[in-house]
Each structure stands twice: as C-alpha cells, then as structure tokens.
Amino acid sequence: MKASDAWRLGLQAMRGHNRHLHPSKGPVWILVLVCLVCVFLICGYVYPPLSSSACFLFPSRGCKTFTDWLPPITTREYTDAEIVSQAVVREILNGPALQSENPKIAFMFLTAGALPFEKLWDKFFHGHEEKFCVYVHASQGKPIHHSQYFINRDIRSDKVAWGQISMVDAEKRLLANALQDPDNQHFVLLSDSCVPLHNFDYVYNYLIYSNVSFIDSFVDPGPHGNGRYSNHMLPEVNKKDFRKGAQWFTMKRQHAAIVIADSLYYTKFRDYCRPGMDGLNCYADEHYLPTLFTMIDPEGIANWSVTHVDWSERKWHPKSYGVEDVSYELLQSIASIDEAVHVTSEGKSQVQIRPCLWNGIRRHCFLFARKFLPETLDTLIELFSNYTNT
C-alpha cells in the first residue's frame, strides 16, 4: 500500500472515531452541573441562611415568612358602650327563648292614616282569632276602623317623615307594644298598601316554624348603597358591614328584643344616616336593621323580605298596582316566585339572585305584596278565596 493511501485511511479512521465521541460530551456536563446544584442546595438546607436576602433563595425554618414582615394587626379596644351592647345581645341570643303554649303573630301596620285594605285583612284573619294580634301606628291621626280586628288596636303614635329616623322610631314603637304580649313569637311589619298572598294558615306556619327572621340585607357598592356610608359611624360601624335592604321585615321574638334594647347602633344611624348628611342622602330605614343584624347575627336572618315589591321601573318609588293591573294571574305569579333578586346602584348594575330557602328547603319567597292602590280593594276581595287557596 502506498504511503498516501495509508495516510488517507488513517484520517478517515480518526474522523469516524471522533463522530462516536461527540454524543457523550453533553450528558457528562449536564450530570456535573446537576450534581453541583444539588450540593449547593443541600448546603443551604444544612446551614440555613441568616440574611433576609438569602431567604429568597433558601426558604427554611430560620427564615421569616412574608406575613412576618407585615406590621402587626392591632385589636381595637372596645368602648364601654360596645361592651355593654355585646353583652346584652349575647344574653338575648344565647338565653332560653320565651316559650308559649299558644304562639301568635303580631301584625304591625305602619300607616299615615286610614287602612284601605281592612276588609281584605278581615277575611284573612277570620277564624284564627287565637293566633294573631294587630297593632296600628297611624302617624297622622287615629283612623276610623271597619274591622273588629282593628278596633282599639291603635298604639300611641308620633309623626313619621319619609327617609327620616322617625320611621325607625315608629318601628321600634310597634315592636315595644307587641313585645308586651308574651304569646307573640313573630313580628310582621306591614304598610297600608300591603295585601296577603296566601291564606292565614300558610302564613302562620311559614313564620312560626321558620328558624330565621326575614330581614332584607345585601351589599350594594353603588352610590345608593355603600355610597351613603359616613366615616362618622366609625369605629362601631365599619363600611364593610354596611348593608341595604327593604324596611318591611318579619322577625322572631329574640331579634325584636334586640332592636328594642339597642341604643348604640341606633344612635349612629340617627346621627349620621340622614338626608343631606355630608352631602349624602342616607335613609336609616333602609340601612339600620340590615347593618345591625349583619353585625350581630348574620346567620339568623334570611337576607330577603317576604313582602314583594316591584322595582323594575327603576324609579325612586316602586311600581304601584291599579285596578287594571290586578288579576288572578298577577297574584299567582308573585306568590310563585322562589328567587330573591337584588339590583345594585352602580352605573353598570349588578343583579344578585339567590334561591329562597326556608329551613334549608327551597320555597316561595313572598307572603305579602305592595304597593296596591285603594281602588283595587273590591277586585282583591273577589279574588281572595281563589288566589289564596292554591
């Protein structure tokens, strides 16, 4: 063989040998790198870092957590008035409920004067005389009554102005009078434009055997909700607890007693939730009870009212029903609703929908409805037996 041929064969053999060596170089370096990292991490764990900057690389038991770097949360010291209020509320809620062998419902009518639907309520109450009491607060003079169930049932009343704390005062006055009868176990606030949607037995069982009070309460982040909150209510009432709801409640006896006993939170709403306060238009009857019970017993309220009202027209006052509106179909459609709807007041309104749960069971939401005009009385009486028997 010639020398040149031998040289060429030698070069080819070397090239072939090099091609087999290249693939093995990568894995070797990767293994070396992984080993170095592992040694680095093990050292960091065995010998924990002492500096805060190193803790970002080697978190360990010797390092402070993120929350450790935050300023400590200080617990606010309660005022004497708050301590007294908490003690009274706790005593009422945890104490034994006043039992009655003949539990009754107190129907409390808040009206300016006459009650145009007395005859309808007379049909509703008839035959159940041992299961209810009627109380009437008439702010503009004692009305003339046409039903035996309303005669001599007026309480001492005072003037009531729309949107003023006097509305809450009237509610407290009604509760105070109704609480004097130990048999009254549930308390219903009604207006002069309210009508029943079901028969008496249905309403009685729904309320007496409920495990909550039906107090309307929801969060409205808009200008007609939390936008009405005043910092003057601090420290007792925080903005996160501020709620809105319809004033037409039904409540159990223990909750009624709390409303009467409360002066601390009532005073805050009397002084700082009123039209024109700090340029805001706050209405105590829409915020006091929802906020109070959200703070003291949030699990004890249903967060909706059993009195239906139609706000679909988006005006300052709800829709009124005239004689041309009233029909069997209308009353049945209201009575069959099983979802509570709240609409917030932001520019882009949010619709909050929740099922109406009665002792954990989905049920119809409403027992009463408003606002019906006096002209609808005869039509409602004519329809009463039909729409309340279903």
Side-chain angles (χ1 to χ4, degrees):
M1 180 183 293
K2 293 181 180 180
S4 59
D5 292 335
W7 177 251
R8 187 169 56 252
L9 289 173
L11 287 175
Q12 290 175 353
M14 290 176 64
R15 290 193 186 105
H17 177 70
N18 288 340
R19 278 198 299 269
H20 290 294
L21 289 176
H22 284 308
S24 64
K25 289 183 178 179
V28 172
W29 286 107
I30 292 173
L31 289 173
V32 171
L33 181 62
V34 169
C35 290
L36 289 174
V37 171
C38 290
V39 171
F40 194 57
L41 292 174
I42 291 171
C43 290
Y45 181 81
V46 175
Y47 303 101
L50 300 178
S51 66
S52 59
S53 58
C55 282
F56 288 100
L57 293 175
F58 303 107
S60 70
R61 288 172 294 178
C63 293
K64 292 184 178 181
T65 63
F66 174 74
T67 54
D68 291 328
W69 296 98
L70 295 176
I73 299 174
T74 57
T75 302
R76 180 174 66 84
E77 184 176 358
Y78 292 115
T79 64
D80 289 344
E82 286 178 286
I83 294 172
V84 170
S85 176
Q86 291 170 2
V88 170
V89 169
R90 188 165 53 249
E91 188 69 20
I92 293 174
L93 290 179
N94 295 338
L98 181 63
Q99 300 297 324
S100 169
E101 295 182 359
N102 179 38
K104 297 190 293 187
I105 296 176
F107 290 87
M108 309 179 302
F109 291 85
L110 180 57
T111 178
L115 290 167
F117 295 108
E118 267 194 34
K119 291 182 180 179
L120 179 64
W121 285 104
D122 188 276
K123 288 177 67 70
F124 173 79
F125 290 134
H126 183 71
H128 306 281
E129 287 75 10
E130 300 301 317
K131 292 185 175 181
F132 73 91
C133 286
V134 169
Y135 302 86
V136 179
H137 185 291
S139 60
Q140 296 181 7
K142 187 175 180 180
I144 297 174
H145 296 296
H146 304 283
S147 166
Q148 60 176 320
Y149 304 121
F150 288 81
I151 293 173
N152 297 324
R153 301 308 301 168
D154 299 279
I155 69 168
R156 190 195 71 77
S157 306
D158 206 343
K159 291 182 179 180
V160 175
W162 179 80
Q164 303 287 345
I165 194 65
S166 56
M167 188 76 76
V168 176
D169 293 337
E171 295 169 6
K172 280 176 165 272
R173 204 172 287 122
L174 282 162
L175 286 171
N177 279 269
L179 278 167
Q180 294 184 46
D181 185 340
D183 288 333
N184 286 336
Q185 297 296 303
H186 210 100
F187 303 77
V188 182
L189 182 68
L190 298 162
S191 75
D192 52 5
S193 68
C194 285
V195 301
L197 293 173
H198 301 275
N199 60 46
F200 184 90
D201 286 329
Y202 183 97
V203 172
Y204 181 88
N205 292 331
Y206 196 107
L207 296 179
I208 289 295
Y209 298 111
S210 169
N211 56 17
V212 296
S213 294
F214 294 94
I215 297 172
D216 194 24
S217 179
F218 72 105
V219 178
D220 180 2
H224 303 315
N226 283 5
R228 295 171 173 174
Y229 174 81
S230 170
N231 286 328
H232 292 296
M233 292 187 176
L234 290 171
E236 292 86 356
V237 180
N238 197 292
K239 190 173 185 177
K240 68 179 178 61
D241 299 317
F242 198 68
R243 295 292 187 274
K244 182 181 179 181
Q247 73 177 107
W248 310 105
F249 61 78
T250 83
M251 64 176 63
K252 303 184 79 63
R253 187 176 183 92
Q254 287 174 308
H255 284 163
I258 288 173
V259 174
I260 295 304
D262 174 56
S263 62
L264 173 66
Y265 300 105
Y266 165 82
T267 302
K268 287 289 181 177
F269 282 85
R270 181 197 65 194
D271 295 343
Y272 304 117
C273 180
R274 62 178 189 266
M277 178 71 193
D278 291 338
L280 306 173
N281 286 319
C282 186
Y283 306 107
D285 58 284
E286 294 183 4
H287 297 284
Y288 168 58
L289 291 182
T291 303
L292 174 66
F293 284 100
T294 294
M295 295 176 65
I296 65 169
D297 192 19
E299 300 301 320
I301 62 174
N303 294 306
W304 89 85
S305 169
V306 292
T307 299
H308 176 268
V309 65
D310 185 353
W311 287 99
S312 62
E313 296 179 343
R314 303 292 178 90
K315 297 180 179 178
W316 279 105
H317 297 283
K319 174 182 171 61
S320 295
Y321 297 104
V323 68
E324 70 281 358
D325 301 310
V326 177
S327 65
Y328 173 85
E329 290 73 21
L330 170 70
L331 297 167
Q332 275 299 293
S333 66
I334 297 174
S336 63
I337 295 172
D338 62 0
E339 290 181 334
V341 179
H342 294 112
V343 181
T344 62
S345 61
E346 304 120 305
K348 209 175 211 181
S349 299
Q350 300 176 24
V351 179
Q352 304 172 7
I353 301 176
R354 68 166 66 208
C356 294
L357 299 179
W358 182 88
N359 294 357
I361 303 169
R362 188 157 184 165
R363 294 281 296 273
H364 296 151
C365 301
F366 302 114
L367 305 179
F368 316 102
R370 57 186 302 266
K371 301 177 66 172
F372 286 79
L373 299 177
E375 64 190 45
T376 63
L377 174 63
D378 291 339
T379 304
L380 287 167
I381 289 178
E382 184 179 341
L383 295 172
F384 180 77
S385 297
N386 291 327
Y387 78 79
T388 59
N389 283 333
T390 56

